[in-house]
Amino acid sequence: MPQKMLVTYALPYANGSLHLGHLVGMIQTDIWVRFQKMQPETQCLFICGCDGHGTPIMIQAEKLNISPEKLIDEVKENQERDLKDFWIDLDNYYTTHSKENHTLVETFYERHLKKGNISKHTIKQAYDPEKNMFLPDRYIKGECPRCGAKDQYGDSCEVCGATYAPTELKNPYSTLSGAKPIEKESEHYFFKLQNYTDLLKQWMHKQTLQSQVIHKLDEWFEMGLREWDISRDAPYFGFNIPGESHKYFYVWFDAPMGYMASFVNLQKRRSDLDFDAYWGKESTFDLYQFIGKDIMYFHTLFWPALLQGANFRMPTAVFCHGFLTVDGQKMSKSRGTFIKARTYLNHLNPEYLRYYLATKLNERIEDLDISFEDFMQRVNADLVGKYINIASRSASFIHKYFDNQLSKALLEPELFKTFVDKSASISEKYKNREFSVAIREIMGLADLANQYVDAKKPWASIKDPQNKEEVHAVCTMALNLFRLLTIYLKPVLPDTAKKIEAFLNIPELHFEDRHQPLLDHTIQIFTPLLKRLEKTDIDALKKEALQHAQNNG
Ligand code: 2FM
Ligand code: ZN
């Protein structure tokens, strides 16, 4: 029986389009999932969706003069289209603003209430007296208490780097109305996270978490877990707290339940999926959750505690990734490096980004830099210059002299075996999310394949009719090596792999197919599969990104 696994990626907020930052994590997860889906011993589902609640979504809908529901629908559709075009192989993309999620949220809430994990008390918060609403920190600006710089956010100064509490800002104002915030009391609901300290510690030691995650968790345990505010006052866009007309669940309470909601929604199309088998306390299936490093606290403390207390299984592992920088710096609208998924797609092949990210991704929580100069070089040198080159330099002979028919015997079984044997190591790297190492190993094989063709020189040999048979065997051999490389690169380059399957005239490739060479078989005519990346393409991309930034402020 294959091991069943459910994989998730953090649900993007529904107030805007996806950008390259989202794609780092989505692509990382997708490569991992696609690798798993190519193995006979695992059966893998990949689900995600958009995170539809919270103040920013409410404000954004107001600004656009549409309902939050309509905003979510539109954004969800756009996000889904972007993900599909980046070849993200999701089994379901749903939304937290759904019936399924509402039911789940109430179930979680009731179960925790019964266990005495919810408390209530009154707190003071910043309030906008003109907008008549409580203000999240990000909607308060003012002068830096240290250097006096104007228009700084409530937690840190972009000019001098000072960090402080929003109450320390001088001349604070609400970014929504401009009014000076006042302090106001309100009763809030809290989840007693501290009740789960021991269980969370046990969970953490049973899992294979990244060392940086363990380190962070140790720090948090050391500081002591505290209760967590799970409510927000109206006006707010979210689910009502049962029995309260003006209070809502905080977006972060229902967001992770959205993973489950996406699964429940998928069940409508997939009657073979059993909820308890995946989510029940006794589940023997795996649950892998990929996230960015900024939301570790939610996914390694709150969420497992919420699951545990509501009688569900906990995650098998939480895999964190770092942030994206462009040319060594945070993505910036003014520099034209804040790039939306769609802007990228308007100019460049999505697989180039998938490949480039794969050459850089590893199992650690490190920030990852895209430098466009390096991006262009990598893609051109590796994909066009090495990988595709193997096919382009051998397929033409098979076509021209051998009627698209591969030879009957494999000329170099030893070399073939070298490629096949490398599978164990490459697979290990994929499994452990050491994609950059996997790619290095695959490109090492591509070098070997090119050296092989260089040494055999079919273009020279073919001039002597006596060598015809040898050329046939050499080119067949080269295409077989190319086929093996295609298997190994398929998690990263799914679309190219599909085109190559059509070119080789074969069914979908899996890792298992590596053992059997492709011989005495008719292939199709080779057409160039990937074109060189030109500087003009990148310039056009940057130009469009800059234009968007100027238009949207
Ligand atoms: O940080 C974010 O973008 C959140 N929308 C992620 C939510 S993940 C899950 F918990 F829903
Ligand atoms: Zn300052």
Side-chain angles (χ1 to χ4, degrees), residues 142 144 146-153 156-162 164:
C144 166
R146 188 160 91 186
C147 76
K150 283 197 185 344
D151 301 323
Q152 297 306 308
Y153 279 106
S156 64
C157 173
E158 281 191 337
V159 178
C160 75
Y164 39 77

Side-chain angles (χ1 to χ4, degrees), residues 21 25 44 93 149 151 157 172 194 231 233 267 284 302 311 344 348 390 447 455 467 469 472 498 506 526 531 551:
C44 182
Y93 198 74
D151 301 323
C157 173
Q194 64 275 24
S231 60
D233 286 286
Q267 281 183 297
T284 55
F302 295 129
N311 218 23
Y344 176 98
L348 305 181
I390 303 164
D447 285 336
N467 296 334
E469 209 167 305
H472 194 193
K498 205 159 104 202
I506 51 172
F526 179 81
K531 73 172 188 49
N551 295 342

Side-chain angles (χ1 to χ4, degrees), residues 9-13 22 51 96 252 254-259 291 294-295 298-299:
Y9 185 67
L11 316 180
Y13 285 118
H22 292 108
D51 188 352
T96 60
W252 266 109
D254 70 66
M257 294 159 201
Y259 295 128
I291 57 165
D294 53 328
I295 54 178
F298 296 101
H299 284 82

